[in-house]
Amino acid sequence: MKKILSFFVLLFAFSAVAQVIQPVKWQTAVEDNGNETFTLVFTGKIDAGWHVYSQTTPDGGPLPLLATYEAAGKGYDLIGKTTESKTKRAFNDVFGVDEVFFEGKVVLRQKISRKNPKIKSVVASLSYQVCEEKCINEDKTFTFSLPEPTVSTPVASESNTVTAVDTVSKAVDTAAVVTNVATSKKVEKSAEIKAEKSDDKSIWSIFLLAFLGGIVATITPCVFPMIPMTVSFFLKQSGSKAKGRFNAIFYGFCIVLICVLITLPFHLLEGANPDVFSEISTNVWLNVFFFIIFSIFAVSFFGAFEITMPSALANKVDSASDRGGKIGIFFMALTLIIVSFSCIGPALGFVLGTSLNSDGGAWILSLAMLGFGLGLALPFMFFALAPSLLGNLPKSGGWLNTVKVVFGFIELALAFKFLSNADLVLNAHYLEREVFIAIWVAIFGSLSLYLFGKIRFPHDSPLDHLSVSRALLAVLTFSFTVYLIPGLWGAPLKLISAFPPPLTYSESPNGFGASVTTESATALPDGAVAGPHGIASFEEYEAGLAYAKKVGKPVLIDFTGRACQNCRLMEANVWSDQEVLKILKNEVVLISLFGDERTKLPEAEQYISKETGNKIATVGQKWSEFQRQRYGTNARPYYVLMNHEENILNEPVAYTPDIDTYLSWLKEGVKKF
């Protein structure tokens, strides 16, 4: 059983990228109290089940919250202590003291008085402990931008007379400052709401894709014949129709439960190592392993041999299903998954590999499995409630083997994605863009010939005519094959931009027949390389920051990866927009930091992470640690706009497929700079 669990851990881990747990989401604001006094406001939204300890929690217990203000007393003074919103108190049996903590929301307020009009901002830090069943120590740094100093009204005299026009002008200027501050807050709030809506949309897209994958898996030869057999068994053997329906629905519930339970090890792995998903998805040998496994599945689907789980395991689980009651039904559901593994295993892998985004971690994996389980269980539950419709199901036959062969072609195409990931991470250039696309043209071209009846496999039934559905699928597949062909000559192929290597990773980066001229090469700044769409990109942080200071432009940090699918989607579908591209080329300095770069760091630059205890030995590990330490996440892609003092200009964003949203974010940051 341990070996099988380990296999599941490997099979479903690819392409998942971890998100560092952030139970508290902070917002900041500055209130202008007049007379050069201000209130700095920290507002933290605390996730359900978590709590943050107060500044006043007693000694001997959890760590209290600590607020510090950089350069206090030099240009500005603190007025009193940092005040807190309402807290709760409860006795802790472990520490033997009362805990004082916040739940749901925490608001901190600190009044300051500006003495030096040149002070434009205040840097403050919060250090606190946030706990659920586990505890996390967090350190956050915030920069508060103070309003411009108000100009005092000059005293009227013979040489300096204040006119009504002067007074009105100053009033207008003061109103403008207030309006700008209010507008800025509205923009930031609007951006946050849009980000939340975007996240919700992305999560539901993942769930829906996995759900559809589960439904597709039910029409495989391993599962489809089981639907009428299982439903009929429950309805006939349960004694009454009501009990039979309940048992069939409970059977479906058990299928969903088993799918979700499979993801539990990933939560443990993510808790032990926040980078585990990134490391798995970019591990060269693991990607090669997946290439071999999916190729074997594909050959099996073509009819060369049959893949089954160990018969001893299947028999043992099947015998447990004879125990009766709810436990017996649970083991019946487990038997279905084990027996049909050869069909649903690759389908499940395909769904997870193409649907997980870059910033969900184990929870997104669980959500995808929940959707897949629901899709797989739905037919069993539906026909239990409407058994009269069972007679309308198509009969099992040769069409099921056709479905299996189609899956085989898809598995083979997906297998080369894993091989491409390994090649990209190694930067070996064996499987460049043109080669990858040529392989896909061959695979989907062969699938078209198969659907048209020009190719047959061992278990195919004789084909004397094409059904309407098969003919339509054949035309669709052939059209897709034709669509791929221009990609051999440099076409962007936006429909599949997440799968092939990027345009820069090809024999002809500038398109077929083009070459890199001396003029284009010299146009790049020293230390920069040609990134996507010819954007000058720095792959060293310090070099990019120095160049940004030299040319007076803001910095766009692009936390990316060689084998990051969502990064390629952003570059192909969003960065290619003319307005977005204009800003990326002319108004910002791009620094691309690859979190999966395997190049070894010099011995003198290697170190041990204080947070995870892991050795930072490669360039990718260095940038992942840098991202996590500074921005509290290791999601890819992740975009940060900052000024020359390395302060962020607006809220960083992750995968943002909507062009208008991303463009607005870019414009907002550039304007604030």
Side-chain angles (χ1 to χ4, degrees), residues 13-41:
F14 62 86
S15 297
V17 179
Q19 168 77 37
V20 174
I21 299 174
Q22 290 184 288
V24 188
K25 280 74 176 178
W26 291 97
Q27 287 182 290
T28 58
V30 177
E31 295 176 357
D32 191 346
N33 304 322
N35 297 323
E36 291 299 286
T37 63
F38 309 92
T39 301
L40 312 181
V41 184

Side-chain angles (χ1 to χ4, degrees), residues 274-572:
D275 282 334
V276 64
F277 286 96
S278 175
E279 291 174 0
I280 289 175
S281 65
T282 59
N283 183 278
V284 172
W285 298 112
L286 199 55
N287 273 285
V288 172
F289 170 76
F290 285 134
F291 165 72
I292 296 172
I293 290 297
F294 273 65
S295 297
I296 292 173
F297 269 119
V299 175
S300 170
F301 277 18
F302 292 153
F305 49 83
E306 193 72 26
I307 296 177
T308 59
M309 295 289 273
S311 57
L313 174 66
N315 293 334
K316 189 173 182 179
V317 174
D318 185 51
S319 62
S321 66
D322 296 332
R323 301 169 75 177
K326 293 182 176 58
I327 294 178
I329 295 174
F330 175 84
F331 280 103
M332 283 184 66
L334 184 58
T335 302
L336 171 74
I337 292 175
I338 290 174
V339 171
S340 60
F341 176 76
S342 62
C343 291
I344 68 172
L348 179 58
F350 175 76
V351 169
L352 294 178
T354 56
S355 66
L356 289 178
N357 67 15
S358 61
D359 58 350
W363 287 110
I364 292 297
L365 191 63
S366 296
L367 180 69
M369 289 295 287
L370 174 65
F372 184 86
L374 283 172
L376 187 62
L378 184 63
F380 294 94
M381 296 187 286
F382 174 78
F383 286 108
L385 296 175
S388 60
L389 296 178
L390 282 172
N392 297 329
L393 283 175
K395 304 297 181 183
S396 299
W399 68 273
L400 284 174
N401 190 69
T402 300
V403 171
K404 194 173 182 180
V405 171
V406 170
F407 269 29
F409 279 107
I410 294 173
E411 294 300 321
L412 188 60
L414 187 60
F416 280 95
K417 172 57 183 171
F418 294 115
L419 191 61
S420 173
N421 285 346
D423 186 67
L424 283 166
V425 172
L426 287 173
N427 206 23
H429 287 268
Y430 289 122
L431 193 59
E432 292 183 321
R433 183 179 177 88
E434 294 90 345
V435 178
F436 182 93
I437 294 174
I439 292 172
W440 269 38
V441 168
I443 291 173
F444 287 100
S446 299
L447 175 57
S448 301
L449 292 174
Y450 171 77
L451 291 171
F452 279 121
K454 304 301 181 182
I455 299 176
R456 287 186 59 189
F457 287 95
H459 301 299
D460 283 328
S461 302
L463 186 68
D464 53 0
H465 69 281
L466 288 180
S467 65
V468 174
S469 57
R470 181 164 180 157
L472 291 175
L473 183 59
V475 171
L476 182 64
T477 307
F478 182 71
S479 300
F480 179 69
T481 305
V482 174
Y483 169 79
L484 292 174
I485 293 174
L488 298 170
W489 288 272
L493 303 182
K494 290 187 178 182
L495 286 179
I496 61 162
S497 53
F499 291 94
L503 287 164
T504 53
Y505 195 84
S506 63
E507 294 180 6
S508 303
N510 298 313
F512 181 74
S515 61
V516 180
T517 64
T518 304
E519 181 182 354
S520 63
T522 55
L524 291 173
D526 290 338
V529 297
H533 312 293
I535 304 168
S537 173
F538 290 85
E539 296 183 2
E540 284 296 330
Y541 180 80
E542 295 298 336
L545 181 58
Y547 181 74
K549 292 178 179 179
K550 178 181 176 181
V551 297
K553 295 179 181 180
V555 172
L556 172 61
I557 307 179
D558 166 31
F559 290 102
T560 184
R562 306 284 183 195
C564 171
Q565 292 187 22
N566 283 345
C567 303
R568 301 294 86 77
L569 285 172
M570 285 293 296
E571 292 162 5

Side-chain angles (χ1 to χ4, degrees), residues 255-269:
I255 292 175
V256 177
L257 178 63
I258 291 168
C259 288
V260 175
L261 288 176
I262 290 172
T263 69
L264 289 181
F266 296 101
H267 292 270
L268 301 176
L269 290 170

Side-chain angles (χ1 to χ4, degrees), residues 513-667:
S515 61
V516 180
T517 64
T518 304
E519 181 182 354
S520 63
T522 55
L524 291 173
D526 290 338
V529 297
H533 312 293
I535 304 168
S537 173
F538 290 85
E539 296 183 2
E540 284 296 330
Y541 180 80
E542 295 298 336
L545 181 58
Y547 181 74
K549 292 178 179 179
K550 178 181 176 181
V551 297
K553 295 179 181 180
V555 172
L556 172 61
I557 307 179
D558 166 31
F559 290 102
T560 184
R562 306 284 183 195
C564 171
Q565 292 187 22
N566 283 345
C567 303
R568 301 294 86 77
L569 285 172
M570 285 293 296
E571 292 162 5
N573 301 334
V574 179
W575 285 16
S576 60
D577 178 78
Q578 290 302 310
E579 289 191 67
V580 172
L581 191 57
K582 181 181 178 181
I583 294 176
L584 295 179
K585 283 189 173 184
N586 304 314
E587 299 184 41
V588 300
V589 173
L590 178 65
I591 302 177
S592 297
L593 305 179
F594 292 85
D596 56 4
E597 178 63 57
R598 298 291 174 171
T599 303
K600 287 285 185 181
L601 288 169
E603 288 289 339
E605 296 182 21
Q606 297 181 16
Y607 65 97
I608 303 297
S609 169
K610 294 181 179 179
E611 180 182 341
T612 64
N614 297 330
K615 185 176 182 180
I616 307 302
T618 67
V619 172
Q621 290 172 336
K622 171 187 173 181
W623 296 134
S624 290
E625 183 74 3
F626 171 79
Q627 181 187 4
R628 182 170 56 248
Q629 290 287 345
R630 181 163 295 195
Y631 303 108
T633 180
N634 51 7
R636 293 194 292 266
Y638 194 73
Y639 306 102
V640 180
L641 277 167
M642 69 178 195
N643 59 22
H644 298 159
E645 287 71 43
E646 301 179 74
N647 297 321
I648 61 173
L649 297 168
N650 53 358
E651 191 71 20
V653 297
Y655 177 62
T656 310
D658 184 74
I659 294 174
D660 291 335
T661 301
Y662 191 77
L663 180 61
S664 298
W665 175 80
L666 280 176
K667 288 181 176 179

Side-chain angles (χ1 to χ4, degrees), residues 203-213 371:
I203 289 172
W204 283 112
S205 298
I206 292 169
F207 178 83
L208 180 60
L209 182 62
F211 176 75
L212 294 175

